[in-house]
Coordinates of all heavy atoms in Angstrom, one line a residue:
M1 N -52.4 -38.5 42.9 CA -51.7 -37.4 43.5 C -51.2 -36.4 42.5 O -50.7 -36.8 41.5 CB -50.5 -38.0 44.3 CG -49.6 -37.1 44.9 SD -48.3 -37.9 45.8 CE -48.5 -37.2 47.4
Q2 N -51.4 -35.2 42.8 CA -50.9 -34.1 41.8 C -49.6 -33.6 42.3 O -49.3 -33.6 43.5 CB -52.0 -33.0 41.9 CG -53.3 -33.4 41.3 CD -54.2 -32.2 41.2 OE1 -53.9 -31.1 41.8 NE2 -55.4 -32.4 40.6
T3 N -48.8 -33.3 41.3 CA -47.5 -32.8 41.6 C -47.6 -31.2 41.7 O -48.4 -30.6 41.0 CB -46.4 -33.1 40.5 OG1 -46.9 -32.6 39.2 CG2 -46.3 -34.6 40.3
Q4 N -46.8 -30.7 42.5 CA -46.7 -29.3 42.7 C -45.7 -28.6 41.7 O -44.7 -29.2 41.5 CB -46.3 -28.9 44.1 CG -47.4 -29.3 45.1 CD -47.0 -28.8 46.5 OE1 -45.9 -28.4 46.7 NE2 -47.9 -28.9 47.4
R5 N -46.1 -27.5 41.1 CA -45.2 -26.8 40.2 C -44.3 -25.9 41.0 O -44.8 -25.2 41.9 CB -46.0 -26.0 39.2 CG -46.9 -27.0 38.4 CD -47.7 -26.2 37.4 NE -46.8 -26.0 36.2 CZ -47.1 -25.1 35.2 NH1 -48.2 -24.5 35.2 NH2 -46.2 -25.0 34.2
K6 N -43.1 -25.8 40.6 CA -42.2 -24.8 41.2 C -42.5 -23.5 40.5 O -42.8 -23.4 39.4 CB -40.7 -25.2 40.9 CG -40.3 -26.5 41.6 CD -38.9 -26.8 41.3 CE -38.5 -28.1 42.0 NZ -37.1 -28.4 41.7
P7 N -42.3 -22.4 41.3 CA -42.6 -21.1 40.7 C -41.5 -20.8 39.7 O -40.3 -21.3 39.8 CB -42.4 -20.1 41.9 CG -41.8 -20.9 43.0 CD -42.0 -22.3 42.7
A8 N -41.9 -20.2 38.6 CA -41.0 -19.9 37.5 C -39.9 -18.9 38.0 O -40.2 -18.0 38.7 CB -41.8 -19.3 36.3
K9 N -38.7 -19.2 37.5 CA -37.7 -18.2 37.9 C -37.7 -17.1 36.9 O -37.9 -17.2 35.7 CB -36.3 -19.0 37.7 CG -36.1 -20.1 38.7 CD -34.7 -20.7 38.5 CE -34.5 -21.8 39.6 NZ -33.2 -22.4 39.4
T10 N -37.4 -15.9 37.5 CA -37.4 -14.7 36.6 C -36.0 -14.8 35.9 O -35.0 -15.0 36.5 CB -37.6 -13.5 37.4 OG1 -36.5 -13.4 38.4 CG2 -38.9 -13.4 38.0
R11 N -36.0 -14.5 34.6 CA -34.8 -14.5 33.8 C -34.2 -13.2 33.9 O -34.9 -12.1 33.8 CB -35.1 -14.8 32.4 CG -35.5 -16.3 32.2 CD -35.6 -16.5 30.7 NE -36.0 -17.9 30.5 CZ -36.1 -18.4 29.3 NH1 -35.9 -17.7 28.2 NH2 -36.5 -19.7 29.2
S12 N -32.9 -13.2 34.2 CA -32.2 -11.9 34.2 C -31.8 -11.6 32.8 O -31.4 -12.5 32.0 CB -31.0 -12.0 35.2 OG -30.1 -13.0 34.8
P13 N -31.8 -10.3 32.5 CA -31.3 -10.0 31.2 C -29.9 -10.4 30.9 O -29.1 -10.3 31.8 CB -31.5 -8.4 31.1 CG -31.6 -8.0 32.5 CD -32.1 -9.2 33.3
R14 N -29.6 -10.8 29.7 CA -28.3 -11.3 29.4 C -27.3 -10.1 29.6 O -27.5 -9.1 29.1 CB -28.2 -11.8 28.0 CG -28.8 -13.1 27.8 CD -28.6 -13.6 26.5 NE -29.2 -15.0 26.3 CZ -29.1 -15.7 25.2 NH1 -28.5 -15.2 24.1 NH2 -29.6 -16.9 25.1
S15 N -26.2 -10.4 30.3 CA -25.2 -9.4 30.4 C -24.4 -9.4 29.2 O -24.0 -10.4 28.7 CB -24.4 -9.6 31.7 OG -23.7 -10.8 31.6
Q16 N -24.0 -8.2 28.7 CA -23.2 -8.2 27.5 C -21.7 -8.4 27.9 O -21.3 -7.9 28.9 CB -23.3 -6.8 26.8 CG -24.7 -6.6 26.2 CD -24.8 -5.3 25.5 OE1 -23.8 -4.5 25.5 NE2 -25.9 -4.9 25.0
R17 N -21.1 -9.3 27.1 CA -19.7 -9.5 27.3 C -18.9 -8.3 26.9 O -19.2 -7.6 25.9 CB -19.2 -10.8 26.5 CG -19.8 -12.0 27.0 CD -19.3 -13.2 26.4 NE -18.6 -13.0 25.0 CZ -18.2 -14.1 24.3 NH1 -18.4 -15.3 24.7 NH2 -17.6 -13.8 23.2
A18 N -17.8 -8.1 27.6 CA -17.0 -7.0 27.2 C -16.3 -7.3 25.8 O -16.0 -8.5 25.6 CB -15.9 -6.8 28.3
P19 N -16.2 -6.4 25.0 CA -15.6 -6.6 23.7 C -14.2 -7.2 23.9 O -13.5 -6.7 24.7 CB -15.7 -5.3 22.9 CG -15.8 -4.3 24.0 CD -16.5 -5.0 25.1
R20 N -13.7 -8.0 23.0 CA -12.3 -8.5 23.0 C -11.4 -7.3 22.6 O -11.7 -6.5 21.8 CB -12.2 -9.6 21.9 CG -12.6 -10.9 22.4 CD -12.2 -11.9 21.4 NE -12.1 -13.2 21.9 CZ -11.9 -14.2 21.2 NH1 -11.8 -14.2 20.0 NH2 -11.8 -15.5 21.9
P21 N -10.3 -7.3 23.3 CA -9.3 -6.2 23.0 C -8.8 -6.4 21.5 O -8.7 -7.6 21.0 CB -8.2 -6.3 24.0 CG -8.3 -7.8 24.4 CD -9.7 -8.2 24.3
E22 N -8.3 -5.3 20.9 CA -7.7 -5.4 19.6 C -6.3 -5.0 19.8 O -5.9 -4.2 20.6 CB -8.4 -4.5 18.6 CG -9.8 -4.9 18.3 CD -10.4 -4.0 17.2 OE1 -9.7 -3.4 16.5 OE2 -11.7 -4.1 17.1
F23 N -5.4 -5.6 18.9 CA -4.0 -5.4 19.1 C -3.4 -4.9 17.7 O -4.0 -5.3 16.7 CB -3.3 -6.6 19.5 CG -3.7 -7.1 20.9 CD1 -4.7 -8.0 21.0 CD2 -3.2 -6.6 22.0 CE1 -5.2 -8.4 22.2 CE2 -3.6 -7.0 23.3 CZ -4.6 -7.9 23.4
T24 N -2.3 -4.2 17.7 CA -1.6 -3.8 16.5 C -0.3 -4.5 16.7 O 0.4 -4.5 17.7 CB -1.4 -2.3 16.5 OG1 -2.7 -1.7 16.4 CG2 -0.6 -2.0 15.2
A25 N 0.2 -5.2 15.6 CA 1.5 -5.9 15.5 C 2.3 -5.3 14.4 O 1.9 -5.3 13.3 CB 1.3 -7.4 15.3
A26 N 3.5 -4.8 14.8 CA 4.4 -4.4 13.8 C 5.5 -5.4 13.7 O 6.1 -5.9 14.8 CB 5.1 -3.0 14.3
V27 N 5.8 -5.9 12.5 CA 6.7 -7.0 12.3 C 7.8 -6.6 11.4 O 7.6 -5.8 10.4 CB 6.0 -8.3 11.8 CG1 5.0 -8.8 12.8 CG2 5.4 -8.1 10.5
R28 N 9.0 -7.2 11.5 CA 10.1 -7.0 10.6 C 10.5 -8.5 10.2 O 10.7 -9.3 11.1 CB 11.3 -6.4 11.2 CG 12.4 -6.1 10.2 CD 13.6 -5.3 10.8 NE 13.1 -4.0 11.2 CZ 13.1 -2.9 10.4 NH1 13.5 -2.9 9.1 NH2 12.7 -1.7 10.9
Y29 N 10.4 -8.7 8.9 CA 10.7 -10.0 8.4 C 12.3 -10.2 8.3 O 13.0 -9.3 8.5 CB 10.1 -10.1 7.0 CG 8.6 -10.1 6.9 CD1 8.0 -8.9 6.6 CD2 7.8 -11.2 7.3 CE1 6.6 -8.8 6.5 CE2 6.5 -11.1 7.3 CZ 5.9 -9.9 6.9 OH 4.5 -9.8 6.8
L30 N 12.6 -11.5 8.1 CA 14.1 -11.8 8.0 C 14.8 -11.0 6.9 O 16.0 -10.7 7.0 CB 14.2 -13.3 7.8 CG 13.7 -14.2 9.0 CD1 13.9 -15.6 8.7 CD2 14.4 -13.8 10.3
D31 N 14.1 -10.7 5.8 CA 14.7 -9.9 4.7 C 14.8 -8.5 5.0 O 15.3 -7.7 4.1 CB 14.0 -10.3 3.4 CG 12.6 -9.7 3.4 OD1 12.2 -9.1 4.3 OD2 12.0 -9.8 2.3
G32 N 14.3 -8.0 6.1 CA 14.4 -6.6 6.4 C 13.1 -5.8 6.2 O 13.0 -4.7 6.6
S33 N 12.2 -6.3 5.4 CA 11.0 -5.6 5.1 C 10.1 -5.7 6.3 O 10.3 -6.4 7.3 CB 10.2 -6.3 3.9 OG 9.9 -7.6 4.2
R34 N 9.1 -4.8 6.4 CA 8.2 -4.7 7.6 C 6.8 -4.6 7.1 O 6.5 -4.2 6.0 CB 8.7 -3.5 8.4 CG 8.8 -2.2 7.6 CD 9.4 -1.2 8.5 NE 9.4 0.1 7.7 CZ 10.4 0.8 7.3 NH1 11.6 0.3 7.7 NH2 10.3 1.9 6.7
D35 N 5.9 -4.7 8.1 CA 4.5 -4.7 7.9 C 3.8 -4.4 9.2 O 4.4 -4.7 10.3 CB 3.9 -5.9 7.3 CG 2.8 -5.7 6.3 OD1 2.2 -4.6 6.4 OD2 2.5 -6.6 5.6
I36 N 2.5 -4.0 9.2 CA 1.7 -3.8 10.3 C 0.4 -4.6 10.2 O -0.2 -4.6 9.1 CB 1.3 -2.3 10.5 CG1 2.7 -1.5 10.9 CG2 0.4 -2.1 11.6 CD1 2.5 0.0 11.1
F37 N 0.0 -5.2 11.3 CA -1.2 -6.0 11.3 C -2.1 -5.6 12.4 O -1.7 -5.2 13.4 CB -0.9 -7.5 11.4 CG -0.1 -8.1 10.3 CD1 1.3 -8.1 10.3 CD2 -0.7 -8.5 9.1 CE1 2.0 -8.6 9.3 CE2 0.0 -9.1 8.1 CZ 1.4 -9.1 8.2
H38 N -3.4 -5.8 12.2 CA -4.4 -5.6 13.3 C -4.9 -6.9 13.7 O -5.4 -7.7 12.8 CB -5.5 -4.7 12.8 CG -5.1 -3.3 12.4 ND1 -4.7 -2.4 13.3 CD2 -4.9 -2.8 11.2 CE1 -4.3 -1.3 12.7 NE2 -4.4 -1.5 11.5
V39 N -4.8 -7.3 14.9 CA -5.2 -8.6 15.4 C -6.5 -8.4 16.3 O -6.5 -7.7 17.3 CB -4.1 -9.2 16.3 CG1 -4.4 -10.6 16.8 CG2 -2.7 -9.2 15.6
R40 N -7.5 -9.1 15.9 CA -8.8 -8.9 16.5 C -9.3 -10.2 17.3 O -10.1 -10.1 18.1 CB -9.9 -8.6 15.5 CG -9.6 -7.3 14.8 CD -10.7 -7.0 13.9 NE -10.4 -5.7 13.2 CZ -11.1 -5.1 12.3 NH1 -12.3 -5.6 12.0 NH2 -10.8 -4.0 11.7
N41 N -8.8 -11.3 17.0 CA -9.2 -12.6 17.6 C -8.3 -13.1 18.7 O -8.2 -14.3 18.8 CB -9.4 -13.6 16.5 CG -10.6 -13.2 15.6 OD1 -11.5 -12.6 15.9 ND2 -10.4 -13.6 14.3
A42 N -7.7 -12.2 19.4 CA -6.8 -12.6 20.5 C -7.5 -12.3 21.9 O -8.2 -11.3 22.0 CB -5.5 -11.9 20.4
D43 N -7.2 -13.1 22.9 CA -7.6 -12.9 24.2 C -6.8 -11.9 25.0 O -7.3 -11.1 25.8 CB -7.7 -14.2 25.0 CG -8.7 -15.1 24.4 OD1 -9.8 -14.7 23.8 OD2 -8.4 -16.4 24.4
D44 N -5.5 -12.0 24.7 CA -4.6 -11.0 25.4 C -3.3 -10.8 24.5 O -3.3 -11.3 23.4 CB -4.2 -11.6 26.8 CG -3.6 -13.0 26.7 OD1 -3.1 -13.4 25.7 OD2 -3.7 -13.7 27.7
M45 N -2.3 -10.1 25.0 CA -1.2 -9.8 24.3 C -0.4 -11.0 23.8 O 0.1 -11.1 22.7 CB -0.3 -8.8 25.0 CG 0.6 -8.0 24.0 SD 1.4 -6.6 24.8 CE 0.1 -5.6 25.2
E46 N -0.3 -12.0 24.8 CA 0.5 -13.2 24.4 C -0.2 -14.0 23.4 O 0.4 -14.6 22.5 CB 0.7 -14.1 25.7 CG 1.6 -13.5 26.7 CD 3.0 -13.3 26.1 OE1 3.5 -14.2 25.5 OE2 3.7 -12.2 26.4
D47 N -1.5 -14.0 23.4 CA -2.3 -14.7 22.4 C -2.1 -14.0 21.0 O -2.0 -14.7 20.0 CB -3.8 -14.8 22.8 CG -4.6 -15.7 21.9 OD1 -4.0 -16.7 21.4 OD2 -5.8 -15.5 21.8
A48 N -2.1 -12.7 21.0 CA -2.0 -12.0 19.8 C -0.6 -12.2 19.2 O -0.4 -12.5 18.0 CB -2.1 -10.5 20.1
R49 N 0.4 -12.3 20.1 CA 1.8 -12.6 19.6 C 1.8 -14.0 19.0 O 2.4 -14.2 17.9 CB 2.7 -12.5 20.7 CG 4.2 -12.8 20.4 CD 5.1 -12.8 21.7 NE 6.4 -12.8 21.4 CZ 7.2 -11.8 21.0 NH1 6.6 -10.6 20.9 NH2 8.5 -11.9 20.7
A50 N 1.2 -15.0 19.6 CA 1.2 -16.3 19.2 C 0.4 -16.4 17.8 O 0.9 -17.2 16.9 CB 0.6 -17.3 20.2
L51 N -0.7 -15.7 17.7 CA -1.4 -15.7 16.4 C -0.6 -15.2 15.2 O -0.5 -15.7 14.1 CB -2.7 -14.9 16.6 CG -3.8 -15.6 17.3 CD1 -4.9 -14.5 17.6 CD2 -4.4 -16.7 16.6
V52 N 0.1 -14.1 15.5 CA 1.0 -13.5 14.4 C 2.1 -14.4 14.0 O 2.3 -14.6 12.8 CB 1.5 -12.1 14.9 CG1 2.5 -11.6 13.9 CG2 0.4 -11.1 15.0
I53 N 2.8 -15.0 15.0 CA 3.8 -15.9 14.7 C 3.3 -17.1 14.0 O 4.0 -17.6 13.0 CB 4.6 -16.3 16.0 CG1 5.4 -15.0 16.5 CG2 5.6 -17.4 15.8 CD1 6.0 -15.2 17.9
A54 N 2.2 -17.6 14.4 CA 1.6 -18.8 13.7 C 1.3 -18.5 12.3 O 1.4 -19.4 11.4 CB 0.4 -19.3 14.5
E55 N 0.8 -17.3 12.0 CA 0.4 -17.0 10.7 C 1.6 -16.6 9.7 O 1.6 -17.0 8.6 CB -0.5 -15.7 10.8 CG -1.1 -15.3 9.4 CD -2.2 -16.2 8.9 OE1 -2.8 -16.9 9.7 OE2 -2.4 -16.2 7.7
L56 N 2.7 -16.0 10.4 CA 3.7 -15.5 9.5 C 5.0 -16.3 9.5 O 5.9 -16.2 8.7 CB 4.1 -14.0 9.9 CG 2.9 -13.0 9.8 CD1 3.4 -11.7 10.3 CD2 2.5 -12.9 8.3
G57 N 5.2 -17.1 10.6 CA 6.4 -17.9 10.7 C 7.5 -17.2 11.4 O 7.3 -16.3 12.2
Q58 N 8.8 -17.4 10.9 CA 9.9 -16.7 11.6 C 9.9 -15.3 11.2 O 9.7 -14.9 10.1 CB 11.2 -17.4 11.1 CG 11.4 -18.8 11.8 CD 12.7 -19.3 11.6 OE1 13.4 -19.0 10.6 NE2 13.2 -20.1 12.5
L59 N 10.2 -14.5 12.2 CA 10.4 -13.0 12.0 C 11.7 -12.6 12.7 O 12.1 -13.2 13.7 CB 9.2 -12.4 12.7 CG 7.8 -12.7 12.1 CD1 6.7 -12.2 13.1 CD2 7.6 -12.1 10.8
Q60 N 12.2 -11.5 12.3 CA 13.3 -10.9 12.9 C 12.9 -10.2 14.2 O 13.6 -10.3 15.2 CB 14.0 -9.8 11.9 CG 15.3 -9.3 12.5 CD 15.9 -8.4 11.5 OE1 15.5 -8.2 10.4 NE2 17.0 -7.7 11.9
S61 N 11.8 -9.5 14.1 CA 11.3 -8.8 15.4 C 9.8 -8.6 15.3 O 9.2 -8.6 14.1 CB 12.0 -7.5 15.6 OG 11.7 -6.6 14.6
I62 N 9.2 -8.5 16.5 CA 7.7 -8.2 16.5 C 7.4 -7.4 17.7 O 8.0 -7.6 18.7 CB 6.9 -9.6 16.6 CG1 5.4 -9.3 16.6 CG2 7.4 -10.4 17.7 CD1 4.6 -10.6 16.5
V63 N 6.6 -6.4 17.5 CA 6.1 -5.5 18.6 C 4.6 -5.5 18.6 O 4.0 -5.3 17.6 CB 6.7 -4.1 18.4 CG1 6.1 -3.1 19.5 CG2 8.1 -4.0 18.4
I64 N 4.0 -5.8 19.7 CA 2.6 -5.9 19.9 C 2.1 -4.8 20.9 O 2.7 -4.6 21.9 CB 2.1 -7.2 20.5 CG1 2.7 -8.4 19.7 CG2 0.6 -7.3 20.6 CD1 1.9 -8.9 18.5
A65 N 1.1 -4.1 20.5 CA 0.5 -3.0 21.4 C -1.0 -3.2 21.3 O -1.6 -3.5 20.3 CB 0.9 -1.7 20.9
Q66 N -1.7 -2.9 22.4 CA -3.1 -3.0 22.5 C -3.7 -1.6 21.9 O -3.2 -0.6 22.3 CB -3.6 -3.1 23.9 CG -5.1 -3.3 24.0 CD -5.6 -3.8 25.3 OE1 -4.8 -4.1 26.2 NE2 -6.9 -3.8 25.6
R67 N -4.7 -1.8 21.1 CA -5.3 -0.6 20.4 C -6.3 0.0 21.5 O -7.0 -0.7 22.2 CB -6.0 -1.0 19.2 CG -5.1 -1.5 18.1 CD -5.9 -1.9 16.9 NE -6.3 -0.6 16.2 CZ -7.2 -0.6 15.2 NH1 -7.7 -1.7 14.8 NH2 -7.6 0.6 14.7
R68 N -6.3 1.3 21.5 CA -7.3 2.0 22.4 C -8.6 2.3 21.7 O -8.6 2.5 20.5 CB -6.8 3.3 22.8 CG -5.6 3.2 23.7 CD -5.3 4.5 24.3 NE -3.9 4.8 24.3 CZ -3.3 5.9 24.8 NH1 -4.1 6.8 25.3 NH2 -2.1 6.1 24.8
A69 N -9.7 2.1 22.4 CA -11.0 2.5 21.9 C -11.1 4.0 21.8 O -10.7 4.7 22.7 CB -12.1 1.9 22.7
H70 N -11.7 4.5 20.8 CA -12.0 5.9 20.6 C -13.1 6.4 21.3 O -14.2 5.9 21.5 CB -12.1 6.3 19.2 CG -10.8 6.1 18.4 ND1 -9.6 5.6 19.0 CD2 -10.5 6.2 17.1 CE1 -8.7 5.5 18.0 NE2 -9.2 5.9 16.8

């Protein structure tokens, strides 16, 4: 007995994933100094905040904003 072959499925072209958003973080350290960082590996604003805090430790203040594409 011969087996029947299923028709080949047509492959749809891979859809491109939307690029991850980029964020800018302005931080003020406990000693009063300040710095600006660009966060690229975050999924959303809360994730960007968590990444900055995990990297830098305690901060006096932090402001996160999503960067706009040009």
